[in-house]
Amino acid sequence: MNKTRVLSTVAAIAVTVGLGTPAFAQDSFDIAFIPGVGGDAYYGSVQCGIEKAAAENGATVQTQAPSAFNPAAQIPILETMIAQKPDAIIIAPTDSQALFAPLKVAVDQGIKVVLVDTTLEDPSIAVSQVSSDNVASGRVAAQTLAELLGDRKGSVLTVNLSAGVTTTDDRERGFAGGIREAGFNYLGQEFSDNSVQKADQIVSAALLANSDLAGVFSTAAFNTEGAVAAIRAAGRSEDVVVVGFNANPPGIEQLKRGQVAAQVVLKPYDSGYQAGLQAIASLRGEKTTPVIRTGATVATKDNLTDPQVSRYVYSFTCP
């Protein structure tokens, strides 16, 4: 996949790779993928993983993404996909409650559902949930920030996405526990609603209200961009440390420029690949794994060339 094939358009990808196993030669499953938002290289890597699983198993993938990360944008796309009657839907729900009812419609029509990246408050309708362990990854972020701050015991703030997004809620939960245990004054979280401008305003206000603000944890890409802008505008880039959750190309540039000290890097390609395999297994009547967790690593300016880090940088280009 290249940058001209953006996630916000429908891309029907016919895969005709033979399995070499006569028993499955008749399989030609149609899988629909609905990411959380279009134009995000994280979901580009998820899609690459799904396409790899499909290519290995004679399936086709059709992808359509919402223009914004919210249920109002995602649900109409889901309803359109359901009307096309795919065999399975792989989706990153943008709200843990609002997506349940429309996905239940899909399941009632015999469509298999796999949740990837994010999940539902009641995931029982899905054959599998595949995501990172975001609580554990949040704790990794806390440990990383604590190590970077060393003996400085100032205040720390989290800029989160929006309430009800399971992945980022879990990241904050893991971070909150870890940073408190490390002895820092945790100011809690504020929500940007995925807005760079609002994240900028949140961090600007925190800098004014807390002269000892030492660290900012950002749970998502746009939050980090806003946080960096606020800190630079306040002339505090040298003493406020930012740890983000973004291995998209802009996030990697932030590391190279020294604007962000570390980025927690998830493994979206692995998540997409496992989600694709689970969808195909369910369609063949094979046993599926209810919950699959993929790991995380930490990228810094100093380790970007390490293959164990660079291989997980998010990209629209499939390996």
Side-chain angles (χ1 to χ4, degrees):
M1 186 170 64
N2 56 47
K3 289 189 177 180
T4 63
R5 292 173 54 209
V6 294
L7 288 172
S8 55
T9 62
V10 179
I13 304 138
V15 183
T16 56
V17 177
L19 293 174
T21 305
F24 297 140
Q26 74 277 13
D27 289 349
S28 182
F29 298 124
D30 178 20
I31 299 171
F33 173 46
I34 307 174
V37 68
D40 187 328
Y42 175 90
Y43 288 117
S45 291
V46 174
Q47 181 170 332
C48 287
I50 294 171
E51 290 179 6
K52 175 65 172 176
E56 291 176 350
N57 290 280
T60 62
V61 180
Q62 182 176 236
T63 299
Q64 189 172 1
S67 59
F69 191 97
N70 61 58
Q74 191 179 45
I75 288 173
I77 290 174
L78 172 58
E79 291 172 341
T80 298
M81 287 292 205
I82 292 171
Q84 295 174 13
K85 301 187 183 303
D87 297 300
I89 292 174
I90 300 174
I91 186 170
T94 53
D95 187 278
S96 61
Q97 296 181 346
L99 271 294
F100 180 86
L103 284 171
K104 181 67 163 52
V105 171
V107 172
D108 289 345
Q109 293 183 20
I111 300 170
K112 304 294 186 183
V113 170
V114 175
L115 307 176
V116 67
D117 181 40
T118 51
T119 188
L120 299 171
E121 189 173 284
D122 177 5
S124 61
I125 58 174
V127 298
S128 183
Q129 307 170 65
V130 185
S131 70
S132 302
D133 186 334
N134 281 282
V135 174
S137 297
R139 292 188 70 86
V140 167
Q143 292 162 3
T144 301
L145 183 55
E147 290 171 2
L148 289 166
L149 290 173
D151 294 333
R152 295 174 57 196
K153 295 298 180 184
S155 298
V156 174
L157 172 73
T158 292
V159 185
N160 206 346
L161 191 62
S162 56
V165 180
T166 58
T167 50
T168 51
D169 284 350
D170 284 349
R171 289 171 194 172
E172 190 279 332
R173 183 154 55 94
F175 179 83
I179 206 68
R180 287 189 179 112
E181 289 173 10
F184 290 88
N185 175 35
Y186 184 49
L187 300 174
Q189 64 179 325
E190 294 196 41
F191 296 104
S192 74
D193 299 323
N194 212 24
S195 163
V196 174
Q197 182 179 12
K198 190 169 181 181
D200 186 331
Q201 293 168 350
I202 288 168
V203 176
S204 294
L207 287 164
L208 288 172
N210 304 275
S211 59
D212 69 336
L213 186 70
V216 174
F217 170 52
S218 166
T219 66
F222 291 151
N223 299 342
T224 310
E225 186 177 342
V228 166
I231 292 166
R232 291 181 67 190
R236 298 282 303 277
S237 298
E238 296 299 319
D239 63 305
V240 179
V241 177
V242 179
V243 171
F245 239 96
N246 178 18
N248 285 323
I252 298 305
E253 283 302 310
Q254 289 169 341
L255 286 178
K256 291 178 178 178
R257 293 171 184 166
Q259 297 170 334
V260 174
Q263 300 276 16
V264 179
V265 182
L266 303 179
K267 299 180 179 179
Y269 181 90
D270 293 359
S271 293
Y273 182 71
Q274 292 297 329
L277 292 181
Q278 293 301 303
I280 291 165
S282 69
L283 291 168
R284 289 177 175 162
E286 299 170 357
K287 183 179 180 181
T288 58
T289 304
V291 178
I292 296 175
R293 299 295 189 203
T294 53
T297 188
V298 175
T300 66
K301 186 176 182 179
D302 295 332
N303 71 4
L304 281 174
T305 59
D306 185 333
Q308 292 305 311
V309 174
S310 61
R311 65 181 293 195
Y312 291 113
V313 171
Y314 312 155
S315 175
F316 291 107
T317 303
C318 298

